[in-house]
Each structure stands twice: as structure tokens, then as C-alpha cells.
Amino acid sequence: MAKMTMVEALNMALRQEMKRDDSVILLGQDIGPDGGVFRVTDRLFAEFGENRVVDTPLAEASIVGMSVGMAVYGLKPVCEIQFSGFIYQAFHQIENHAARMRWRTRGRLHVPMVMRAPYGAGVRALEHHSESREAYWAHTPGLKVVIPSGPRNARALLVSAIRDPDPVIFYEAKALYRSLREDVPEEEETLPIGRANIARAGDAVTIIAYGAMVRPALEAADLLAEKEKMAAEVIDLLTLSPLDEELLVASVKKTGRAVVVHEAPQSFGPGAEIVARLMEGAFYYLEAPIERVTGFDTIVPYFSREKSYLPGAERIAAAARRTFIK
Amino acid sequence: MGRKRIEPSNCTIDYLSILDEYGNLDTGLEPEIPPEMHLKMLRAMLLGRRFDERLLDLQRQGRIGTYPPTKGQEAAHIGSAILLKDSDWFVPSFREMAAEIMRGRTMESALLYFNGYNEGTIVPEGSKDLPMAVPVASQILHAVGLAWAAKYRQTGEVVMAFFGDGATSEGDFHEGLNCAAVYQAPVVFVCQNNQWAISVPLARQTHSETLAQKAIAYGMPGIQVDGNDILAVYAAAKEAVDRARDGGGPTLIECVTYRIMMHTTSDDPKKYRSEEEVECWRQRDPLIRYRKYLLQKNLITEQQLIALEEEIKQDIQAAVERAEKRMQELGNPLDQFDHLFAEMPPRLRKHKEALAKELAEAGREAHHG
Ligand SMILES: Cc1ncc(C[n+]2csc(CCOP(=O)(O)OP(=O)(O)O)c2C)c(N)n1
Ligand SMILES: [Mg+2]
């Protein structure tokens, strides 16, 4: 097994799926000779050529709209939207078509496509390059939303997303691209879409996170273990939609306490839905109101102030402690 | 019935070059430009060039974040923006630094912006300019809306919008040109065709021979100019601005120039283009050409040029010092909640208070610890 960054692991997933299936086609801006602005498609142009790694004109609606057509035809397009902050230029193609082709044709046509996009703050990027707006897509019926938290699960989930028969939004945290390495097996590995993972087992309080927030959630669990001798359970969602509510409910039934973490703004964010599901499934087991630790209801400030916007381990640990105050 | 040929009017475009890279001048086409305007353009180009170099240096030293250099494109945006009055509207993208500063944006503002301070997108009080727009082509439609409003109010104002070659692939570009022509809005579209959109060359951006010809489809005049020839840019822009002001509607100007540097400081152009190509364009530098022209016309002397360089150097140094001092005063995280709405909603106020409390506690802990 090789130690890989998330960028390298995603690159491997793309390469292996392209080798395995010649209907897998990559489309995006600067993904060809340049290898993508984050290098996720590094060397794929040289290996597979311009018909498999398609450098597109600067138009997101073209990338997504063409992919819908290609997917209806029977190909498996994997789009790279250079930054999730520019996926809105394709909003109508996703909402009006990708998400509902199967439904409109009563299953006759469908669009197996993946829309990859880097998201999130913490890398000192220019404006429009740091937002977390996954709620738009989780709110859209007909889309699956997958958000990995590290190199190994990113690779396995991307493979599953490519093989999935439905459109998948695949958000990649920029903050994780190169900040950690993990062993990633060369052999095929997939992870089921729609399943969360217990990243750390515990019985005192359930901390629910995804993407770049899993790391501070685990650090918060460390703090709670050190200072309070408290065993927090950390759940890494991996898929935001469809949500693995079974696992969440089971965990909260056990702990009676929950903290939901995301860097997206709070109001109408993923946390609101997660809390609602816990209320439906585990209300009588709750010992305290569920806490949310999220981005604020403002736009991610330009990078000199972004650190204060992002939830960190201290903020999460403090919320976990609050669930013990009666 | 039958098949006959339709020949839409206005189906050709001009290419304009007045002062070439070897210093040859087409005196028949040479625009009449008042000497003080020449000096203003020269100063703006020179300041733009030196400030750009300084920003790149600062980025390399880790004193600012990601930066998109403008080197080599100064004639394209100065030669056009100079035609705007203060009462006209300037709608930039993100590679018109020299023109932004000529229009009144301070260097401190740019330094704050590239250092991640929200104060860097405040536009000067009373100015008619919009802040930079990062989402490619999106600003084109705002320019059309501004122009529509100016026409409605009958103010005689003109709007000038800037964007790159890559932007012409976005729907917003096509929708913007179409609407502008339908409404005969007083707007001038200036495309800085620097021939690259990050790693994608123009030939893979469009199958059209020129970008200017796209104007024809929308029913407006289009012109292609040597974008490194400030006289040609000026002449084309004057024609377009005058037409817009006289009620003649929009124009598309394609300035053929070149992105000498990397796309941004995060980019590595060696991955996709040759050094020979870049070198060839260095020879066509707009500033060298213009300086020679001004010297030959006795509009400036060598001594004055040296003095101007020195003055600009000091201006930049003073701006960097002011900005770095300002940054120490700015950066209160609580500012991120302000200006989202005219009036802060209750929930947002709660978020602001929560952060204030957290910061106060952290401050107390740091104090005691
Ligand atoms: C809608 C949108 N998509 C993608 C990007 C990322 N991006 C920033 S600049 C750029 C290339 C722009 O090329 P061009 O329009 O030619 O302008 P230039 O950078 O050459 O000045 C890209 C793809 C963006 N900012 N906005
Ligand atoms: Mg360009």
C-alpha cells in the first residue's frame, strides 16, 4: 500500500476506472495537459488522450449540460467543476435535467454522471473559492451528495460514484487535498454510497461531521477524552444525501447526546435536517438539546478572517460539554 | 419559396494597428490625443507595471495571497478606460489593475484585497466603478443593466465592461451582448484576448477566427485591435464610446494581447506552453513601444521618464507601508457579520454575539495562561 494524498488517491480512482471502462470520460476546465488546477487529473491526458480527458471551453453549463447528453447516450461522464463556487453557472442543468431525467421519463432514461468540485475554506483562497454550499444539492431531489474525509475513502467513494446509476455531486475539501497522507491499496476498493462510518467509537456523546470537519471533530473527541475522560463517538457521514439515518439514530439512542458539525452556514444547512431526523428517530432517548457547530450565517470572510469562521476542535468540544449542562 | 442568399449588413470586422512593435507609425490613423492625456496614460501604464511587479514580489515573500499578474496587458485596459469620464461606469473583471488604479482605486485597496481583507472590495466614495469580479463573465450582464439604467435616466453615461478571451465561452457573455444590442444600451465590451484562459489556448476556446466577429451575430459592430498598441486601442475605444454616447448602442472591441506571466501565482505555465512563444510576445511589449513613441514626439524626455519611475517607486513603497500598517488595525473577525443586510437579522446578531463571547473568553485565557 502506498501513502497517498487525497489528490493522488482521486487520481488513482480516475485512472483505474478509465482503464476498466472506456465509457468513463472526464470533462472540465484545464484538466488536460495542465492536469487540473489541483492536479487531480495529472498525467491522465497523456495516458488516455483528448477523447477521454476533455479540456472544455470556459463554460460550466457546457460541461454539465453536455455530460447529461453523454450520460443519456450511455457514457459515464465525470465532470470537474474547477471550484464549487462556479458550479452555479450550471445550476439549471443540474436542477432542471441531471436530477430529474430518470423521474421525468419514468425510468426510461437516466444520467449516471459525477460532478466533482473542490469546496470549503482554510486554504487562503480568493473570494468565491471557500464556500460550502452542499445544502443546495442535498436539497435537490434526484441527486446524491458524497463528501469524503480523507485519501482512502475519497478513492473508494469516487469509484462507487462513477459506477452509480444516478447523478452524484462529489465535493472534495480543498483543505484535505494535500494536508494528510493515508495508505491506499492498489487493489480495487469501494465504499457504499449512503453509508456513514463510525470514525471513533464512544458512548458519551455523538459528534456528527463530514468532509474537512471530521478532523476537528476527532480532535474534539481527543480533548474530551483528555480533559473530561469522556468517550465521544465521532460519525463521519461520507454521504450527505441519502443520509444514513439508521446509524445516526442508533448512535444517539446509545449516547443520548449529539453535536452536529459543518462548515456550511447554519440556517437551513445540513445540520438542520440531521437534527430533524434525530428528533424523529431518537427523541425519547435525548438527554439534552442537540447542539450545532457550524459556519455562521454569513459569507465566508476573505482569508484574513476565515479562521474565525471555521468550526474548530475547541468550539466542538465546548458544544459537547454543553450537552451535559442541565 | 426557394433558396436565396441573405447578406446581413455589417458582416465584416476591421483589424486596427497604428503603432507596431518596431515603432512604425501609420500617421494617417494616428489619433489626436492631448499631451496631458498621453502623460496620464503613460503614468498609469508605468504605475500598473511596477505595482504588478511589486505584487508578484510580495506574493513570493508570502506577504500577499494568490495574485493574477497583468503584465503586458496595460495598453489594452488603459487605452480603453482612459475614454471614460468620471461620470461613466467602469466594470472590471480581475486583470485590469492599471486601469482600476487610474480610475481611482487605491493601491492599498488592492493590497488589502490580495491579502484577504474584505475592505479590499470597497469602491471609492462617489466612484462609478464596480469592484473586481472573479466569476468569469458574470460582470458583463451588470454592465448591460447599468447601461440600460443610464439610458432610462437619460444621463448620457457610458459603461465599459472588461473580460478575457475565456469569458467569451460563458453563457453570460452571449446573453449580455444579445441584451445590450436588443436594448441598444450604451455599453462598450472590451475583451482582453490574452490568448490563454489558464491552460486553454484560444484555439481550443473558440472555433471562430476572431472574437470580434461574435459581435456580428448580435447585431453590433465589432473590431479587433492590436491590444499592445495603445494608439489603436484608444482609437477603437473612442469610436465605440462616442457611438454609445450618441445613442448608437453597444460595441465589442477585441484587444489582441498576451498573458506574459502565469495565470495566477498558483499556476505553472511550463506545463502547457513554450518559453519561445512567451519570448516572442515579450518583444511586443506595449510599454516599450509607447515610451519610444512619446520620446520621438517629444512628449516626454529621458530625464522626465527617470523622474517618473522614481516617483512611482516611492508611491508604491508608501502604499505598501500604509497597507501593511492598516492590516494590523484591521482584521477584527466580528466584522464578517456586518454589511450582509441593511439591517442585521436576529439570528445573525446571535452568531456575532457568540463569536464575540468566544473571542473574549479566549482572550481572557491567553491573558491568564
Ligand atoms: C465562472 C468561472 N469559472 C471558472 C473560474 C476559474 N477561472 C478563473 S480565471 C479563469 C480563466 C479566465 O480566462 P480569461 O477569461 O481568458 O481571462 P484571463 O484569466 O486570461 O485574464 C478561470 C477558468 C472562474 N473564476 N469563474
Ligand atoms: Mg485569457
Coordinates of all heavy atoms in Angstrom, one line a residue, chain A residues 58, chain B residues 73 94-95 163-167 191-198 200 202 205 211 257-259 263, ligand 2:
Chain A
L58 N -14.4 27.5 -21.4 CA -14.7 28.1 -20.0 C -16.2 28.3 -19.8 O -16.7 29.4 -19.9 CB -13.9 29.4 -19.8 CG -13.5 29.8 -18.4 CD1 -12.6 31.0 -18.5 CD2 -14.6 29.9 -17.4
Chain B
Q73 N -0.5 43.6 -20.5 CA -1.9 43.9 -20.9 C -2.3 45.4 -20.6 O -3.5 45.8 -20.8 CB -2.9 43.0 -20.3 CG -2.6 41.5 -20.6 CD -3.7 40.6 -20.1 OE1 -3.4 39.4 -19.9 NE2 -4.9 41.0 -19.9
F94 N -10.8 40.9 -13.4 CA -9.7 40.8 -12.4 C -8.3 41.0 -13.0 O -7.3 40.7 -12.4 CB -9.7 39.4 -11.7 CG -9.8 38.3 -12.7 CD1 -8.7 37.8 -13.3 CD2 -11.1 37.7 -13.0 CE1 -8.8 36.8 -14.2 CE2 -11.2 36.7 -14.0 CZ -10.0 36.2 -14.6
R95 N -8.2 41.5 -14.3 CA -6.9 41.7 -14.9 C -6.8 43.0 -15.5 O -6.4 43.2 -16.6 CB -6.6 40.5 -15.9 CG -5.1 40.1 -15.8 CD -4.8 39.0 -16.8 NE -5.3 37.7 -16.5 CZ -4.8 36.8 -15.6 NH1 -3.7 37.1 -14.9 NH2 -5.4 35.7 -15.4
F163 N -13.3 41.8 -19.8 CA -13.3 40.4 -19.6 C -12.3 39.8 -20.5 O -11.7 40.5 -21.4 CB -14.7 39.8 -19.9 CG -15.3 40.3 -21.2 CD1 -15.1 39.6 -22.4 CD2 -16.1 41.4 -21.3 CE1 -15.6 40.0 -23.6 CE2 -16.6 41.9 -22.5 CZ -16.3 41.1 -23.6
G164 N -12.0 38.5 -20.3 CA -10.9 37.8 -21.1 C -11.5 37.0 -22.2 O -12.7 37.0 -22.5
D165 N -10.6 36.4 -23.0 CA -11.0 35.6 -24.1 C -11.8 34.3 -23.6 O -12.8 34.0 -24.2 CB -9.7 35.1 -24.9 CG -8.6 34.6 -24.0 OD1 -8.2 35.4 -23.1 OD2 -8.2 33.5 -24.1
G166 N -11.4 33.8 -22.5 CA -12.1 32.6 -21.9 C -13.5 33.0 -21.6 O -14.4 32.2 -21.8
A167 N -13.7 34.2 -21.2 CA -15.1 34.6 -20.8 C -16.1 34.5 -21.9 O -17.3 34.4 -21.7 CB -15.0 36.1 -20.3
C191 N -12.8 43.1 -24.7 CA -12.3 41.7 -24.4 C -10.7 41.8 -24.5 O -10.2 42.2 -25.5 CB -12.8 40.8 -25.5 SG -12.1 39.1 -25.3
Q192 N -10.1 41.5 -23.4 CA -8.6 41.4 -23.4 C -8.3 40.0 -23.8 O -8.2 39.1 -22.9 CB -8.1 41.7 -22.0 CG -8.3 43.1 -21.5 CD -7.4 43.5 -20.4 OE1 -6.2 43.9 -20.6 NE2 -7.8 43.4 -19.2
N193 N -8.1 39.8 -25.1 CA -7.8 38.5 -25.6 C -6.3 38.3 -25.3 O -5.5 38.6 -26.2 CB -8.1 38.4 -27.0 CG -7.6 37.1 -27.6 OD1 -7.1 36.2 -26.9 ND2 -7.7 37.0 -29.0
N194 N -5.9 37.7 -24.2 CA -4.5 37.4 -23.9 C -4.1 36.0 -24.3 O -3.1 35.5 -24.0 CB -4.2 37.7 -22.4 CG -4.9 36.8 -21.5 OD1 -5.6 35.8 -21.9 ND2 -4.9 37.0 -20.2
Q195 N -5.0 35.4 -25.1 CA -4.8 34.1 -25.8 C -4.7 32.9 -24.9 O -4.6 31.8 -25.4 CB -3.5 34.3 -26.7 CG -3.7 35.5 -27.5 CD -2.7 35.6 -28.6 OE1 -2.5 34.6 -29.3 NE2 -2.0 36.7 -28.7
W196 N -4.8 33.1 -23.6 CA -4.9 31.9 -22.7 C -5.9 32.1 -21.7 O -6.1 33.2 -21.2 CB -3.5 31.7 -22.0 CG -2.5 31.3 -23.0 CD1 -1.6 32.0 -23.7 CD2 -2.2 29.9 -23.4 NE1 -0.8 31.3 -24.5 CE2 -1.1 29.9 -24.3 CE3 -2.7 28.7 -23.0 CZ2 -0.6 28.8 -24.9 CZ3 -2.2 27.5 -23.6 CH2 -1.1 27.6 -24.5
A197 N -6.6 31.0 -21.4 CA -7.5 31.0 -20.2 C -6.9 29.9 -19.3 O -7.1 28.7 -19.6 CB -8.9 30.7 -20.6
I198 N -6.2 30.3 -18.3 CA -5.3 29.4 -17.6 C -4.5 28.5 -18.6 O -3.7 29.1 -19.3 CB -6.1 28.5 -16.6 CG1 -6.9 29.4 -15.6 CG2 -5.0 27.7 -15.7 CD1 -7.6 28.7 -14.5
V200 N -5.8 26.8 -21.3 CA -6.5 26.6 -22.5 C -6.2 27.7 -23.5 O -6.6 28.9 -23.3 CB -8.0 26.4 -22.3 CG1 -8.8 26.2 -23.6 CG2 -8.3 25.3 -21.3
L202 N -6.5 29.9 -27.1 CA -7.7 30.5 -27.8 C -8.3 29.5 -28.8 O -9.5 29.3 -28.9 CB -7.3 31.8 -28.5 CG -8.5 32.5 -29.1 CD1 -9.5 33.0 -28.0 CD2 -8.0 33.7 -30.0
Q205 N -10.6 27.4 -27.3 CA -11.7 28.1 -26.6 C -12.8 28.4 -27.6 O -14.0 28.4 -27.2 CB -11.2 29.4 -26.0 CG -12.0 30.1 -25.0 CD -12.1 29.3 -23.7 OE1 -13.1 28.9 -23.3 NE2 -11.0 29.2 -23.0
L211 N -12.5 36.9 -32.1 CA -13.6 37.1 -31.1 C -14.5 38.2 -31.5 O -15.7 38.2 -31.2 CB -12.9 37.3 -29.7 CG -12.2 36.1 -29.2 CD1 -11.4 36.5 -27.9 CD2 -13.1 34.9 -28.9
T257 N -3.8 40.7 -27.2 CA -2.6 40.9 -26.3 C -2.1 39.6 -25.9 O -2.3 38.6 -26.5 CB -3.0 41.9 -25.2 OG1 -1.9 42.1 -24.3 CG2 -4.2 41.4 -24.3
Y258 N -1.4 39.5 -24.8 CA -0.8 38.3 -24.3 C -0.6 38.3 -22.8 O -0.1 39.3 -22.3 CB 0.6 38.0 -25.1 CG 1.0 36.6 -24.9 CD1 0.5 35.6 -25.7 CD2 2.0 36.3 -24.0 CE1 0.9 34.3 -25.6 CE2 2.4 34.9 -23.8 CZ 1.9 34.0 -24.6 OH 2.3 32.7 -24.5
R259 N -0.8 37.1 -22.2 CA -0.6 37.0 -20.8 C 0.9 36.5 -20.6 O 1.2 35.3 -20.7 CB -1.5 35.9 -20.2 CG -1.7 36.0 -18.7 CD -2.3 34.8 -18.1 NE -1.4 33.7 -18.1 CZ -1.7 32.4 -18.3 NH1 -3.0 32.1 -18.6 NH2 -0.8 31.5 -18.3
H263 N -1.0 32.4 -15.0 CA -2.4 32.8 -14.8 C -2.6 33.5 -13.4 O -3.1 34.6 -13.3 CB -3.3 31.6 -14.9 CG -4.7 31.9 -14.4 ND1 -5.6 32.7 -15.1 CD2 -5.4 31.4 -13.3 CE1 -6.7 32.8 -14.4 NE2 -6.6 32.0 -13.3
Ligands
MG2 MG -7.3 35.0 -21.3

